[in-house]
């Protein structure tokens, strides 16, 4: 094996400390520790051991830290004086990790674990540290072995002991205290303890990540479902892919299994499939696999036991097979703990965990999740499971309710007839009534017709004939009408459809005069004929129809409207429900003709008539449509009122798509209000759930999630918004370039808020790529500029420069955007010396600033003839450019002075160590060739800030803050070059001016000016 040099080891340690956590980092750390020991350099070996311990800690191999820690402790015992203050502190800090690792390792005998705890207590006492960490470690060991009395004493001693340098951070301590409360069955106490962490007031490298996961089930148990949802969405984003947080990932999977989100749990499991196998840290393995087992058991109960699961050690397994493998492995670990501890505490808790039952039926999470496939073999559901009536309802009562709902066209009618059919099929004695069986056949034939089944016509004909045989002429007439509708739906020849309609009308009119339903059957046939004719007429006209009617003509709508008006007038009193349908159709015709004002009263009348007729569910579509029209007309208050009415009247609607549309409409309207983001989010979340139930996840579900993400963003819940938006991003990108660009921009904005500049830049660049083919180059320029800003924040200088230059090119091509050009030029000027402080870089920075000034001067000259807001903006940008040029010059002077100081230190060190003095002098002479005239630059800074201040003064009181900044800058620069009195006089003059007009000056601005003046006087 090649021996690493000291320099290679040091470089490796530096790289390893910032490498991603995991086995690769651990392996590299092991190599470095071995190489450092071989070299024989004690200090380097200690650093390598410390690096190895830290690598193990943040991975799934944390139990491995025992060996390198023991070596490091031996080194300390041999020569404590060799350890620096920081190294000694680190050693004692790591003792806490080791105490936990020992307790989490069943191979370590209980006596040894207790011995390590005693050793930790002894060493902490000698070193003068508080016993607080010792008592915490004692708590968890006592709890694991079932010694609850000792655990409680340790807990109280932990809280009572003083905090010092060895205490865990507040966030980690609160995590443990809350976890102990959960073990004692006090969820509310745990949530109260965790609140500072959950609120973001106490954080660290792994908090609130772990607490967010730990809070999920307690929140479900106490009914705080909204918080549970948010903690999952936000917390999983933090824990995803982090090896040291596998127990937390297991909690998220368990939460999904117990909240009706099994498909989401499967997706999380798939993302961590690499860890579904033996882990070095068996405690983490049991914690992670415990959550997985809860999910697998739920999937088996739902009939998915034979579905494929993630592999185990590379071998494919079904859900049931994986459950058995993981259960056996986890119980083996638990029993090893029990054997060591002498109790069954670990096994008991584990079995209780994996046997937990769901805490809620379904908790919509907002994030998109692929629906579970149909199970290969599912346990048959009991007939009562789908019934919309109490299971105790008798069959005769059920039939009567189903018939009443059918006549009322109640949304629950289909579910009631489904239940009647199930009972009739499973209980032969229920099939004795032939009329009941005819009604069941009628219901099933209608369902087939709605679904477009090939045999729908045959089924309807059979139902018609059966009703005739039973003397139910009114039902036979309705079946005949449905035959005509089904023919139209299936695309039959117009002649055939009209023939069926004529037969249906005749059948209705042929009903006995004393038949109560005769008027209704005739009216329904008439309205159906109007509907079908509205479909057939343009279909028959075809292309010729389009040529004969120009834009704005009614395309035959006039005749249809006249028929509907007559129908509504004839049946307003006798059949208000059908009249309401006609009015809704009239409203839709008005909208198709571009006349929303005519449509509004028709839709309102339709909705009102349906409600008055006792058919509130029928009003929903008209109200939703009217709400949308009102929003398009800029009448949001009225739109909201209609949308809320639609939601109220949809209470009995069973159609999932309709439920989704109603809620999405209201959510979209509420999002336009500044104070309704939380309610908008609630409705959008529920809408997404309903669209998922309707099988419209990629359509309505995607739009609902977009609204949900926007609502979350309005509430500053940016992490939640990102997770929701990213989950449905592929669906949203399928809805045209306009939405693609908008969504990419929105996601970029969210990622920027989360301080993830690389990811934000990627989204802006993808948006720019889509906009590349657009005629107007300005959107692409905007996105390129936004990407450049984020690339700069990510310190990707070459990429940022390229994006800025592309944006500048596009703005110039579009023209008319001098402010955008100037801001890009200034940004490029600031980036020029980054990583290169040679004379050429400074010259480029100055040239870019000069270009910015030239752009502004040209644009100002063009605006001179028509001064206004744009002219004022250009002048403000000019003042800002002068100020920023002064700041760039200051950067140049400061960097030169710092370089000189560093060279002097190097020279002094060289003299002390016998270095090459001539080489140092040569280096300084080389730098002198680019040496700036610092005195001249300082004077130029003063002159530039004077100009900027004067221009801000001309622009008026709105720029007082900018003017103060310039004057402060000039004053302090004068102090820097030995002209302190001049600087004081400059700043004093402004303070006096502000005092003279103090009524119009913000108080904090005057306070800042006076404070700066006082500081300047003290420094002079």
């Amino acid at each position: 094996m090649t021996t690493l040099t000291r320099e290679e080891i040091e470089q490796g340690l530096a790289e390893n400390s910032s490498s991603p956590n995991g086995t690769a980092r651990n392996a590299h750390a092991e190599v470095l520790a071995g190489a450092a020991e071989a070299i024989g350099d004690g200090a380097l070996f200690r650093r390598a051991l410390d690096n190895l311990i830290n690598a193990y800690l943040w991975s799934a191999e944390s139990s491995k830290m025992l060996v390198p820690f023991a070596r490091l402790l031996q080194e300390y015992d041999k020569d404590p004086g060799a350890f620096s203050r920081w190294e000694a502190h680190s050693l004692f800090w790591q003792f806490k990790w080791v105490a936990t690792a020992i307790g989490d390792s069943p191979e370590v005998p209980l006596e040894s674990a207790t011995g390590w705890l005693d050793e930790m207590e002894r060493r902490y006492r000698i070193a003068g540290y508080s016993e607080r960490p010792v008592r915490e470690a004692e708590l968890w060991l006592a709890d694991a072995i079932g010694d609850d009395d000792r655990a409680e004493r340790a807990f109280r001693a932990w809280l009572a002991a003083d905090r010092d340098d060895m205490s865990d951070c507040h966030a980690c301590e609160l995590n443990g205290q809350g976890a102990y409360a959960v073990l004692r069955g006090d969820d509310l106490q745990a949530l109260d303890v965790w609140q500072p962490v959950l609120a973001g007031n106490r954080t660290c490298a792994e908090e609130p990540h772990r607490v967010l996961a730990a809070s999920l089930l307690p929140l479900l148990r106490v009914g705080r479902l909204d918080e549970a949802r948010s903690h999952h969405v936000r917390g999983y984003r933090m824990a995803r892919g982090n090896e040291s947080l596998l127990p937390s990932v297991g909690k998220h999977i368990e939460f999904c299994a117990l909240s009706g989100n099994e498909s989401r749990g499967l997706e999380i499991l798939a993302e961590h499939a690499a860890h579904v196998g033996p882990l070095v840290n068996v405690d983490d393995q049991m914690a992670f696999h415990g959550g997985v087992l809860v999910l697998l058991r739920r999937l088996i109960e739902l009939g998915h036991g034979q579905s494929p699961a993630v592999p185990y050690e590379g071998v494919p397994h079904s859900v049931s097979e994986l459950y058995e493998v993981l259960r056996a492995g986890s119980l083996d670990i638990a029993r090893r703990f029990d054997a060591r501890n002498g109790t069954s505490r670990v096994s008991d808790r584990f079995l209780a965990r994996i046997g937990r039952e769901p805490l809620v039926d379904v908790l919509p999470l907002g994030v998109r999740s692929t629906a579970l496939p149909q199970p290969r073999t599912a346990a048959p559901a009991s007939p009562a499971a789908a019934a919309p009536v109490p299971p105790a309802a008798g069959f005769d009562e059920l039939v009567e309710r189903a018939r009443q709902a059918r006549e009322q066209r109640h949304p629950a009618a289909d579910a009631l007839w489904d239940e009647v059919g199930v009972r009739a099929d499973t209980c032969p004695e229920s099939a004795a009534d032939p009329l009941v069986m005819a009604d069941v056949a009628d219901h099933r034939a209608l369902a087939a017709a709605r679904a477009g089944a090939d045999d729908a016509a045959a089924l309807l004909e059979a139902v018609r004939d059966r009703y005739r045989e039973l003397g139910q002429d009114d039902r036979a007439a309705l079946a005949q009408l449905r035959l005509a509708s089904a023919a139209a739906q299936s695309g039959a020849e117009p002649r055939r459809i009209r023939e069926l309609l004529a037969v249906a009308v005749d059948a209705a009119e042929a009903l006995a005069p004393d038949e109560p339903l005769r008027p209704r059957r005739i009216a329904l046939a008439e309205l159906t004929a109007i509907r079908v004719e509205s479909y057939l007429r343009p279909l028959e006209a075809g292309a010729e129809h389009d040529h004969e009617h120009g834009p704005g003509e009614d395309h035959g709508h006039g005749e249809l409207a006249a028929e509907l008006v007559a129908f509504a007038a004839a049946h307003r009193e006798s059949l208000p429900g059908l009249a309401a349908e006609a009015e809704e159709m009239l409203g839709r015709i008005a909208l198709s003709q571009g006349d929303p004002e005519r449509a509004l009263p028709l839709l309102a009348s339709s909705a009102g008539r349906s409600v008055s007729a006792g058919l509130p569910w029928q009003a929903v579509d008209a109200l939703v449509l009217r709400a949308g029209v009102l929003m398009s007309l800029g009448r949001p208050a009225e739109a909201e009122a209609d949308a809320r009415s639609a939601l109220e009247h949809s209470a009995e609607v069973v159609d999932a798509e309709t439920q989704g549309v109603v809620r999405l409409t209201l959510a979209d309207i509420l999002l336009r209000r500044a104070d309704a983001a939380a309610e908008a989010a609630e409705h959008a979340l529920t809408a997404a759930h309903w669209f998922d139930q309707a099988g419209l996840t990629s359509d309505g579900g995607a739009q609902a999630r977009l609204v949900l993400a926007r609502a979350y963003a309005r509430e500053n819940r940016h992490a939640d918004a990102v997770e929701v938006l990213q989950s449905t991003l592929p669906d949203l990108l399928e809805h045209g370039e306009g939405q693609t660009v908008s969504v990419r921009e929105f996601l970029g904005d969210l990622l920027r808020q989360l301080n993830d500049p690389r990811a934000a830049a990627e989204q802006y660049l993808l948006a720019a790529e889509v906009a590349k083919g657009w005629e107007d180059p300005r959107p692409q320029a905007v996105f390129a500029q936004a990407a450049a800003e984020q690339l700069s924040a990510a310190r990707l200088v070459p990429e940022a420069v390229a994006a800025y230059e592309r944006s500048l090119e596009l703005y110039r091509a579009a023209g008319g955007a001098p402010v955008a050009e100037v801001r890009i030029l200034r940004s490029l000027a600031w980036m020029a010396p980054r990583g290169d402080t040679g004379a050429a870089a400074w010259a480029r920075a100055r040239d870019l600033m000069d270009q910015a000034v030239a752009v502004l001067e040209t644009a100002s000259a063009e605006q001179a003839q028509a001064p206004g807001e744009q002219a004022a903006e250009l002048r403000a940008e000019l003042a800002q450019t002068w100020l920023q040029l002064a700041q760039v010059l200051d950067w140049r002077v400061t960097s030169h002075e710092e370089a000189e100081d560093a060279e002097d230190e190097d020279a002094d060190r060289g003299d002390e160590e016998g270095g090459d003095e001539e080489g140092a002098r040569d280096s300084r002479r080389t730098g002198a060739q680019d040496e700036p005239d610092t005195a001249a630059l300082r004077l130029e800074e003063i002159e530039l800030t004077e100009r900027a201040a004067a221009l801000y003064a001309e622009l008026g009181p709105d720029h007082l803050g900018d003017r103060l900044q310039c004057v402060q800058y000039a004053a302090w620069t004068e102090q820097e070059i030995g002209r302190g009195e001049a600087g004081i006089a400059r700043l004093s003059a402004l303070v006096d001016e502000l005092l003279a007009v103090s009524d119009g000056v913000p108080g904090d601005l005057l306070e800042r000016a006076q404070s700066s003046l006082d500081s300047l006087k003290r420094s002079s």
Side-chain angles (χ1 to χ4, degrees):
M1 183 179 72
T2 304
T3 303
L4 298 177
T5 65
R6 177 187 177 86
E7 290 73 20
E8 290 172 333
I9 295 172
E10 288 181 336
Q11 181 180 350
L13 291 173
E15 294 172 352
N16 192 257
S17 63
S18 58
S19 296
N21 301 325
T23 54
R25 180 190 179 193
N26 295 350
H28 189 205
E30 290 166 358
V31 170
L32 294 171
E37 184 177 19
I39 285 180
D41 185 320
L44 187 62
F45 183 44
R46 292 194 297 273
R47 282 179 56 199
L49 288 173
D50 181 80
N51 175 72
L52 181 56
I53 293 168
N54 278 275
Y56 284 147
L57 173 70
W58 303 106
S59 74
E61 300 180 331
S62 56
S63 57
K64 282 187 174 183
M65 74 173 72
L66 300 178
V67 173
F69 178 78
R71 287 296 312 275
L72 192 58
L73 195 60
Q74 289 175 4
E75 293 293 313
Y76 180 80
D77 289 339
K78 284 193 298 184
D79 186 6
F83 280 63
S84 68
R85 181 177 178 182
W86 181 90
E87 288 174 331
H89 182 278
S90 178
L91 176 71
F92 279 90
W93 186 269
Q94 290 166 350
F95 225 125
K96 300 183 298 179
W97 303 342
V98 170
T100 301
I102 289 171
D104 292 344
S105 302
E107 288 74 21
V108 178
L110 187 59
E111 297 77 10
S112 297
T114 304
W116 270 97
L117 191 62
D118 293 340
E119 181 68 8
M120 178 183 176
E121 182 175 10
R122 182 184 72 82
R123 288 179 179 267
Y124 270 43
R125 187 184 305 113
I126 293 172
Y129 292 123
S130 168
E131 68 169 349
R132 192 176 180 93
V134 180
R135 300 284 78 85
E136 182 182 4
E138 180 186 9
L139 161 66
W140 299 120
L141 183 59
D143 177 75
I145 64 177
D147 190 343
D148 292 336
D149 290 339
R150 183 181 179 186
E152 183 63 22
R153 290 194 302 272
F155 176 70
R156 297 187 182 281
W158 171 23
L159 298 186
D162 294 334
R163 286 186 55 83
D164 64 5
D165 289 347
M166 279 300 116
S167 299
D168 281 342
C169 76
H170 283 284
C172 287
E173 283 203 335
L174 292 174
N175 179 351
Q177 292 162 19
Y180 185 60
V182 171
L183 290 175
R184 292 179 299 171
D186 195 339
D187 290 332
L188 288 173
Q189 173 66 19
L191 294 168
D192 185 57
V193 168
W194 285 330
Q195 186 54 35
V197 183
L198 296 172
N201 299 324
R202 299 290 186 183
T203 62
C204 70
E206 289 195 334
E207 299 297 354
H209 316 44
R210 295 184 300 163
V211 169
L212 285 167
S215 70
L216 295 173
L217 296 192
L219 286 168
L220 287 183
R221 285 193 289 261
V222 301
R224 288 157 59 175
L225 305 185
D226 288 341
E227 291 174 73
R229 176 192 300 113
S230 178
H231 290 190
H232 167 66
V233 174
R234 182 161 59 105
Y236 179 61
R237 177 179 176 82
M238 295 177 173
R240 178 194 289 130
N242 192 328
E243 275 196 3
S244 68
L245 293 176
L246 282 175
S248 295
V249 173
K251 289 183 174 73
H252 283 283
I253 293 174
E254 180 180 10
F255 163 79
C256 291
L258 301 181
S259 63
N261 291 285
E262 294 84 4
S263 59
R264 167 77 168 170
L266 271 176
E267 291 170 358
I268 296 174
L269 175 59
E271 290 179 350
H272 296 83
H275 299 293
V276 181
L279 302 177
V280 172
N281 186 329
V282 293
D283 189 66
D284 279 5
Q285 177 183 333
M286 191 167 61
F288 174 53
H289 288 179
V292 176
L293 283 166
V294 177
L295 172 66
L296 296 175
R297 182 179 61 80
R298 283 291 301 147
L299 291 172
I300 293 170
E301 292 172 351
L302 294 172
H304 296 278
Q306 301 309 308
S307 299
V310 297
Y312 181 86
E313 294 191 298
V315 178
H317 283 75
S318 68
V319 168
S320 295
E321 292 168 344
L322 184 61
Y323 176 82
E324 294 301 330
V325 170
L326 296 187
R327 186 176 187 276
S330 297
L331 283 176
D332 177 67
I333 295 170
R335 288 166 184 147
R336 284 155 54 193
F337 273 111
D338 290 344
R340 183 196 72 171
N341 298 338
T343 71
S344 61
R345 166 63 62 87
V346 176
S347 292
D348 291 345
R349 281 184 175 168
F350 184 79
L351 288 170
R353 179 188 184 187
I354 65 174
R356 285 173 178 156
E357 293 298 323
L359 295 167
V360 294
D361 290 335
V362 178
L363 175 64
L365 299 177
V367 292
R368 187 196 197 284
S369 186
T370 303
L372 289 174
Q374 288 295 320
R376 293 183 180 178
T377 43
S382 64
V389 292
F395 184 74
D396 291 342
E397 178 189 347
L398 178 63
V399 171
E400 181 60 28
R401 291 179 63 180
R403 284 172 176 163
Q404 290 177 358
R406 181 178 65 189
E407 289 308 314
Q408 294 175 340
R409 291 179 294 163
H410 193 285
D414 285 344
L416 287 164
W417 281 113
D418 283 340
E419 174 63 8
V420 171
V422 168
R423 294 199 187 183
D425 290 343
T426 55
C427 304
E429 62 273 14
S430 300
D433 187 341
L435 181 56
V436 170
M437 297 313 298
D439 285 339
V440 170
D442 177 45
H443 165 65
R444 290 171 176 171
L446 178 58
R450 288 170 178 164
D454 293 338
D455 60 345
L459 292 172
L460 287 168
E461 287 176 351
V463 166
R464 177 200 60 194
D465 295 343
R466 184 59 177 150
Y467 275 135
R468 284 175 178 170
E469 292 173 5
L470 294 170
Q472 298 291 318
D473 293 338
D474 68 305
R475 299 299 306 170
L478 186 58
Q480 184 65 52
L481 184 61
R482 287 172 177 166
L483 269 170
S485 297
Q489 181 180 340
S490 63
E493 289 292 325
R495 182 180 59 80
R496 174 59 179 162
I497 296 171
R498 288 193 176 98
E499 288 176 356
L500 290 169
L501 276 172
V503 173
V505 171
D506 290 345
E509 292 178 342
L511 291 173
D514 60 348
E515 167 59 54
L517 291 175
R518 183 176 183 273
R520 178 175 181 80
R521 293 289 183 259
I522 294 172
L524 184 59
E526 181 183 349
L527 183 59
T528 301
I530 294 173
R531 281 200 183 101
V532 172
E533 282 296 334
S534 71
Y535 159 73
L536 293 178
R537 288 169 189 162
L539 185 68
E540 290 177 314
E544 182 181 350
H545 176 87
D546 294 333
H547 289 303
E548 290 177 355
H549 295 82
E553 296 187 41
D554 67 10
H555 297 270
H557 286 151
E559 184 179 353
L560 172 61
E563 293 172 349
L564 289 169
V565 168
F567 180 89
H571 299 290
R572 280 189 186 119
E573 301 300 327
S574 58
L575 296 169
L578 292 179
E581 289 185 40
E583 286 179 322
E584 182 183 335
M585 290 179 65
L586 283 166
R588 293 180 182 276
I589 290 171
L591 288 176
S592 70
Q593 293 176 321
D595 192 350
E597 293 294 350
R598 182 161 57 91
L600 289 175
L602 288 166
L603 294 171
S605 177
S606 172
R609 201 175 304 283
S610 293
V611 173
S612 298
L615 308 171
W617 53 86
Q618 186 176 290
V620 172
D621 287 347
L623 286 167
V624 168
L625 182 58
R626 191 170 189 272
V629 174
L630 287 165
M631 282 301 294
S632 70
L633 296 175
R635 294 157 64 179
E638 296 172 75
E640 182 180 335
D642 274 7
R644 289 192 184 281
S645 293
L647 181 61
E648 177 187 352
H649 296 319
S650 70
E652 297 177 272
V653 172
V654 297
D655 180 66
E657 181 179 359
T658 300
Q659 291 285 0
V661 169
V662 170
R663 285 163 173 78
L664 178 56
T665 300
L666 180 55
D668 195 37
I669 292 170
L670 290 171
L671 194 60
R672 318 293 176 91
R673 275 177 41 188
D675 61 342
E679 188 184 357
E682 177 186 347
H683 292 303
L685 179 71
T686 311
H689 170 71
W690 281 112
F691 282 124
D692 290 347
Q693 296 299 304
L696 298 170
T697 298
S698 60
D699 297 312
Q703 300 306 317
R705 288 183 171 89
L706 177 57
V707 172
L708 176 61
R710 294 194 184 281
Y712 280 159
R714 287 268 298 278
E715 293 185 278
N716 293 320
R717 295 170 57 180
H718 299 112
D720 291 15
V722 165
E723 285 300 297
V724 169
L725 192 59
Q726 286 183 326
S727 73
T728 196
L729 188 61
D731 299 324
L732 293 170
L733 299 182
E734 295 297 320
H735 292 270
E737 287 187 352
Q739 177 159 290
T740 295
V741 166
S742 174
V743 168
R744 293 271 189 212
E745 180 184 17
F746 178 36
L747 182 53
D749 293 344
L750 291 172
L751 292 165
R752 177 173 51 81
Q753 291 288 342
L754 292 177
N755 196 28
D756 191 348
R758 284 176 179 251
E762 179 185 8
Q763 293 303 319
Y764 292 137
L765 289 172
L766 288 169
E769 185 65 23
V770 175
K772 183 184 292 185
W774 294 1
E775 184 177 349
D776 184 357
R778 282 173 294 187
Q780 187 186 355
V782 170
F783 297 132
Q785 183 179 3
E789 291 168 357
Q790 294 306 297
L791 290 167
S792 176
R795 300 187 180 278
L796 299 172
V797 177
E799 293 85 350
V801 169
Y804 272 128
E805 290 177 344
R806 177 57 178 158
S807 179
L808 183 62
E809 177 186 351
L810 290 165
Y811 275 125
R812 285 174 170 169
V819 172
E821 288 186 50
V822 164
R823 290 178 179 175
I824 293 172
L825 288 166
R826 291 199 305 244
S827 296
L828 287 169
W830 280 105
M831 299 190 74
R834 284 174 66 171
D836 176 11
T837 54
W842 294 115
R844 172 162 171 72
R846 179 186 283 274
D847 177 64
L848 288 163
M849 287 292 188
D850 289 342
Q851 289 183 44
V853 170
V855 169
L856 289 167
E857 289 176 341
T858 301
S860 295
E862 295 172 354
Q863 287 289 322
Q865 301 304 317
E869 288 186 11
Q870 187 173 0
E873 182 183 19
L874 292 172
R875 289 165 64 77
E877 289 294 332
L878 180 58
Q880 182 62 212
T881 305
W882 285 332
L883 174 60
Q884 289 197 27
L885 176 55
Q887 291 169 332
V888 168
L889 298 180
D890 176 71
W891 181 15
R892 183 177 188 188
V893 172
T894 302
S895 63
H896 172 70
E897 291 171 349
E898 289 174 350
E900 281 193 324
D901 291 342
E903 286 177 1
D904 290 341
E905 289 178 9
D906 289 342
D908 292 342
R909 191 178 300 111
D911 291 341
E912 292 172 5
E913 300 176 2
D916 184 355
E917 184 178 347
E918 187 65 30
R921 284 197 299 269
D922 289 344
S923 174
R924 287 193 291 275
R925 280 198 298 270
T926 301
Q929 296 174 4
D930 296 334
E931 212 169 290
D933 185 344
T934 57
L937 290 175
R938 289 298 191 196
L939 291 174
E940 187 177 0
E941 288 178 50
I942 295 170
E943 190 271 333
L944 285 166
T945 49
E946 279 181 333
R947 269 196 281 166
L951 189 47
Y952 279 132
E954 293 176 14
L955 290 169
D958 289 345
H959 292 275
L960 272 176
D962 298 314
R963 184 183 170 198
L964 173 60
Q965 182 184 9
C966 294
V967 172
Q968 286 175 317
Y969 196 107
W972 281 101
T973 305
E974 287 188 306
Q975 196 268 352
E976 181 79 16
I977 62 175
R979 290 165 33 178
E981 291 301 321
I984 291 172
R986 183 189 299 275
L987 191 51
S988 295
L990 180 58
V991 170
D992 292 342
E993 180 184 335
L994 296 178
L995 287 169
V997 292
S998 57
D999 289 344
V1001 178
D1004 62 328
L1005 190 144
L1006 185 56
E1007 184 179 337
R1008 277 170 29 218
Q1010 186 63 58
S1011 175
S1012 182
L1013 178 59
D1014 293 342
S1015 297
L1016 188 61
K1017 288 178 178 178
R1018 287 193 296 270
S1019 301
S1020 297

